Amino acid sequence: MDINLVALEAKQAGKKANGPKRPVKPTKPAKKTKKAVVFFEVEILCAKTKDKLCFLDKVDPNATIGEIKAMFHKSHPQWYPARQSIRLDPKGKSLKDEDILQNLPVGTTATLYFRDLGAQISWVTVFLTEYGGPLLLYLMFYFRVPFIYNTKYDFTTSKHWVVHLACMCHSFHYVKRLLETLFVHRFSHGTMPLRNIFKNCTYYWGFSAWMAYYINHPLYTPPAYGEQQVQLALIIFLFCQIGNFSIHIALRNLRPPGSKTRKIPYPTKNPFTWLFLLVSCPNYTYEVGSWVGFTVMTQCLPVAFFTLVGFIQMMIWAKGKHRSYLKEFRDYPRLRSPILPFML
């Protein structure tokens, strides 16, 4: 038998035994099962009386407190979101608008407490009112409009050049504040209680009128050390004004427009911001320094008293912000003091 023929028959027999190979069908991936969303039920009670004010059904667990305020506003139109304080406890702290419902220590049936903050007003309006008043009032005393001093002094001017310099410095300070309010500041809170504007305006307007009355008085006497004292005070005033503006710019750049982002402020290439190395609130440090310079320039007791009261208030604010920084940021520089390096 032909050897080639035997090999061919054996090869054909092997193919029949194995059979034709069928293509393997690809396996279908298993369908992903969607997780069922567990909606929350939110009950809002009055913080004072514990009365039930609103019940929100099927609230998304990812809803923020700001969104819950908007839902509550629909059922109670008289309480717009900025007027609401939502809390976990009747006497507790207000929750932030960005707090997420499911991250709070509540169950699927959450009980929140509402407190009315009262009528609100925007911070821009508040600052424009607070700073516009002192600017106009001081100028009224400077130009000696009628019914302030004796009639023979109506619309007269002082013979002392320090009086004119003081008016320019005072006006510069408040014009700067007004411009910063419009073009620099970014507020983390859009509003404040309307009742506070009367207290704030009484403080700023009252002190401004008191200072202006004595500085622009016809019997005002210049500082004891003459021009040298005035020139030194002017340098201090301008230096601190530039420093204060520099800090405001640095703080503004930390917060993108329309956000409430909080970051640790650090010094920039601007030398005036290097005070951040030692102080948490250098804007207040420079602010106090400006008024110290103005006090030395005018040698006026009401100005010194205004500087002291302002320092006490800014020290309280600075300590509060310093504690907030330490609580919020674990890596916050421990070397910093609230307002005065190594002291306060």
Side-chain angles (χ1 to χ4, degrees):
M1 182 179 289
D2 189 357
I3 296 176
N4 293 333
L5 181 60
V6 173
L8 180 60
E9 288 177 353
K11 188 175 181 181
Q12 289 177 350
K15 286 183 178 181
K16 289 179 180 179
N18 294 331
K21 293 183 179 179
R22 295 180 181 179
V24 180
K25 294 182 179 180
T27 56
K28 294 182 179 180
K31 294 182 178 179
K32 294 182 179 179
T33 56
K34 294 183 179 180
K35 293 183 179 179
V37 178
V38 179
F39 290 101
F40 280 54
E41 294 178 345
V42 178
E43 186 179 43
I44 300 179
L45 307 181
C46 177
K48 290 184 178 180
T49 63
K50 308 297 190 301
D51 293 337
K52 183 177 178 180
L53 298 176
C54 181
F55 182 80
L56 304 174
D57 190 17
K58 293 185 178 180
V59 178
D60 191 293
N62 292 315
T64 63
I65 294 299
E67 292 171 342
I68 292 175
K69 286 182 178 181
M71 298 176 196
F72 182 61
H73 175 53
K74 290 181 179 178
S75 60
H76 294 80
Q78 72 273 25
W79 292 319
Y80 43 89
R83 187 168 178 163
Q84 301 174 31
S85 171
I86 302 296
R87 313 172 181 199
L88 292 173
D89 184 83
K91 296 181 180 180
K93 293 183 178 180
S94 299
L95 295 171
K96 298 178 181 178
D97 285 352
E98 57 269 24
D99 287 339
I100 299 174
L101 183 59
Q102 67 177 354
N103 294 340
L104 299 175
V106 295
T108 54
T109 301
T111 300
L112 301 177
Y113 296 89
F114 159 78
R115 183 178 290 275
D116 182 14
L117 297 176
Q120 301 288 301
I121 185 172
S122 72
W123 275 102
V124 173
T125 303
V126 171
F127 282 170
L128 292 179
T129 306
E130 287 180 1
Y131 304 151
L135 177 63
L136 296 176
L137 280 172
Y138 195 99
L139 291 176
M140 289 173 61
F141 285 90
Y142 173 74
F143 290 111
R144 295 176 179 173
V145 298
F147 309 109
I148 295 180
Y149 304 113
N150 193 300
T151 53
K152 67 179 181 179
Y153 296 112
D154 290 351
F155 298 111
T156 58
T157 57
S158 175
K159 61 182 179 180
H160 305 297
W161 73 278
V162 66
V163 173
H164 307 297
L165 181 62
C167 180
M168 287 187 284
C169 290
H170 188 276
S171 300
F172 173 81
H173 174 76
Y174 282 103
V175 168
K176 166 183 163 293
R177 281 195 166 190
L178 291 170
L179 293 176
E180 287 176 341
T181 300
L182 293 173
F183 303 109
V184 177
H185 293 319
R186 288 173 180 162
F187 304 100
S188 56
H189 300 285
T191 62
M192 68 172 286
L194 177 62
R195 60 181 177 272
N196 287 359
I197 194 172
F198 300 104
K199 176 183 66 176
N200 294 3
C201 286
T202 299
Y203 170 77
Y204 282 106
W205 294 24
F207 265 116
S208 180
W210 189 28
M211 293 187 297
Y213 176 83
Y214 284 97
I215 296 173
N216 297 286
H217 197 283
L219 301 180
Y220 171 80
T221 54
Y225 294 96
E227 291 188 7
Q228 291 183 344
Q229 179 176 338
V230 174
Q231 290 172 358
L232 174 63
L234 178 61
I235 293 172
I236 296 173
F237 178 84
L238 293 177
F239 179 87
C240 290
Q241 286 289 296
I242 297 171
N244 180 264
F245 177 74
S246 300
I247 298 300
H248 287 165
I249 292 295
L251 293 174
R252 175 186 181 273
N253 294 336
L254 285 179
R255 178 173 294 156
S259 73
K260 295 183 180 181
T261 303
R262 284 173 59 85
K263 299 178 183 178
I264 299 176
Y266 286 105
T268 66
K269 294 180 180 179
N270 185 342
F272 287 96
T273 65
W274 294 352
L275 196 54
F276 270 125
L277 294 171
L278 302 175
V279 173
S280 292
C281 302
N283 52 322
Y284 295 153
T285 310
Y286 283 123
E287 179 78 9
V288 173
S290 294
W291 288 109
V292 169
F294 195 74
T295 302
V296 174
M297 179 189 300
T298 57
Q299 198 171 301
C300 183
L301 185 60
V303 180
F305 188 68
F306 174 71
T307 302
L308 177 62
V309 174
F311 170 69
I312 293 172
Q313 180 61 71
M314 283 183 275
M315 179 181 63
I316 295 172
W317 290 338
K319 286 184 175 181
K321 289 188 176 183
H322 183 71
R323 286 193 299 267
S324 179
Y325 281 139
L326 291 173
K327 184 178 179 181
E328 186 172 357
F329 303 108
R330 293 183 179 179
D331 56 342
Y332 190 75
R334 301 289 171 174
L335 183 63
R336 296 183 186 181
S337 301
I339 187 170
L340 295 180
F342 310 112
M343 296 175 62
L344 292 172

